[in-house]
Amino acid sequence: MRDHAEARGFLIGTALATGPLSGEASYRDIAGSEFNVVTAENAMKWDATEPQQGQFNFSGADQIMDFAEANGQTVHGHTLVWHNQTPGWVQNLDANAMRTAMRNHIDTVVGRYAGRIPSWDVVNEVFNENGGMRDSFWYQRLGESYIADAFRAARAADPNAELCINDYNVEGINAKSTAMYNLVSRLRGQGVPIDCVGIQGHLSIQYGFPNDLRQNIQRFADLGVDVKITELDVRVSTPADANELATQATYYRNVIDACLAVSRCDQLTVWGFTDKHSWVPDTFPGEGAALPYDQNYQPKPAYQALHDALAG
Ligand code: 9MR
């Protein structure tokens, strides 16, 4: 996949977890050879990088960064401001202190990797399904202004990084993706530095394919932002049978085809690559087998689908 992606100037990525990266040669071999961009699945989140106020820990983040650089890969940064995996000390701050802590966190993390991490998920999952703003501790304490502030802080910390807003269930045209569209349009109109939209792509074959994905990508592109598929996986009921894996492969193919059809869609990242290490079974009991490689690191039909689309 990597060679074909590079031939067409496309980024094909995977999320990486630090445990198997240290412990498993098969994991390292595939991660290093099949992808040209990596995302830290957890290691760059706030609870990992600033567990106590002002005390930063970049051991996991550096492990990912070092692996990527050793393999000639780029890194997509994930994520700066989120309601999950953010320590209690942040959540308990008053408004002024929270805003200051957010700016300091962004300044320190983005600043550390300035020039080495060319794109960041600056804010993650800020919407409800109905298109309203998520009632997170960020929103409760700071109102919507935290979003613009986060982007401005990130731009200041690395003026060359591409800055993204990232969310799930925004593949098709729906209330949530339209809220995202409206917010990006409005903030860009105000000069807020948003360069990119991340469409996560946590899909399940039981809900049908979002057939307006390409149209949705296109409308964001028409706003003047890049689009990235940031966290693709396609879960099926487990144990998976051959029919399910074939259907799953069509989903992977449809997603990458939609992205490749829009020139501003420049990256597709899978959320892990092997079913051996996936968040899905823990979160959706009875579902899984969501990734392009099986538990034994063998490529599945979904791998072939991605490969063939990139080669085509
Ligand atoms: O895959 C991640 C998993 O290992 C963590 O336990 C989980 C905790 O919140 O986060 C998972 O990754 C999420 C990502 O950061 C943001 N979008 C949804 C992903 C799946 O939950």
Side-chain angles (χ1 to χ4, degrees), residues 57-77:
N57 180 341
F58 291 107
S59 54
D62 282 349
Q63 185 190 341
I64 304 286
M65 190 76 230
D66 292 348
F67 179 84
E69 289 181 340
N71 288 284
Q73 299 166 312
T74 181
V75 172
H76 177 73

Side-chain angles (χ1 to χ4, degrees), residues 41-42 45 78 82 84-85 124-125 200 202 231 271 279:
E41 185 170 358
N42 290 299
K45 292 171 179 173
H78 176 83
W82 191 23
N84 278 338
Q85 291 176 281
N124 196 38
E125 302 173 359
Q200 291 183 7
H202 294 295
E231 305 182 12
W271 202 238
W279 70 292

Side-chain angles (χ1 to χ4, degrees), residues 15 17 39-42 45 47 78-79 82 84-85 121 124-125 166-168 200 202 230-231 233 271-272 277-280 282-284:
T39 304
E41 185 170 358
N42 290 299
K45 292 171 179 173
D47 60 352
H78 176 83
T79 176
W82 191 23
N84 278 338
Q85 291 176 281
D121 292 330
N124 196 38
E125 302 173 359
N166 189 49
D167 218 319
Y168 62 91
Q200 291 183 7
H202 294 295
T230 49
E231 305 182 12
D233 48 27
W271 202 238
H277 302 292
S278 167
W279 70 292
V280 171
D282 292 338
T283 305
F284 298 99

Side-chain angles (χ1 to χ4, degrees), residues 93-224:
L93 297 172
D94 67 28
N96 282 336
M98 189 180 283
R99 198 179 297 277
T100 302
M102 183 186 81
R103 287 186 180 138
N104 182 57
H105 182 78
I106 292 171
D107 185 52
T108 305
V109 177
V110 175
R112 177 182 180 86
Y113 297 108
R116 297 165 79 199
I117 293 190
S119 60
W120 274 99
D121 292 330
V122 176
V123 298
N124 196 38
E125 302 173 359
V126 305
F127 297 107
N128 290 327
E129 301 309 291
N130 68 6
M133 299 301 298
R134 182 188 291 274
D135 194 26
S136 66
F137 62 88
W138 295 111
Y139 185 76
Q140 286 172 6
R141 212 80 87 247
L142 301 174
E144 195 184 300
S145 68
Y146 81 91
I147 297 173
D149 275 12
F151 279 95
R152 291 192 174 108
R155 178 64 96 233
D158 183 354
N160 295 317
E162 182 175 35
L163 306 180
C164 309
I165 180 171
N166 189 49
D167 218 319
Y168 62 91
N169 288 350
V170 294
E171 291 73 35
I173 294 183
N174 55 39
K176 194 177 189 180
S177 65
T178 298
M180 195 177 192
Y181 177 89
N182 290 335
L183 182 69
V184 171
S185 175
R186 187 166 74 249
L187 290 181
R188 281 173 61 84
Q190 295 165 6
V192 176
I194 301 188
D195 311 308
C196 154
V197 164
I199 295 175
Q200 291 183 7
H202 294 295
L203 302 178
S204 167
I205 64 168
Q206 66 177 310
Y207 299 126
F209 189 79
N211 286 312
D212 47 4
L213 172 61
R214 177 182 169 172
Q215 195 188 338
N216 191 38
I217 293 172
Q218 186 66 56
R219 71 170 171 161
F220 282 107
D222 290 344
L223 282 179

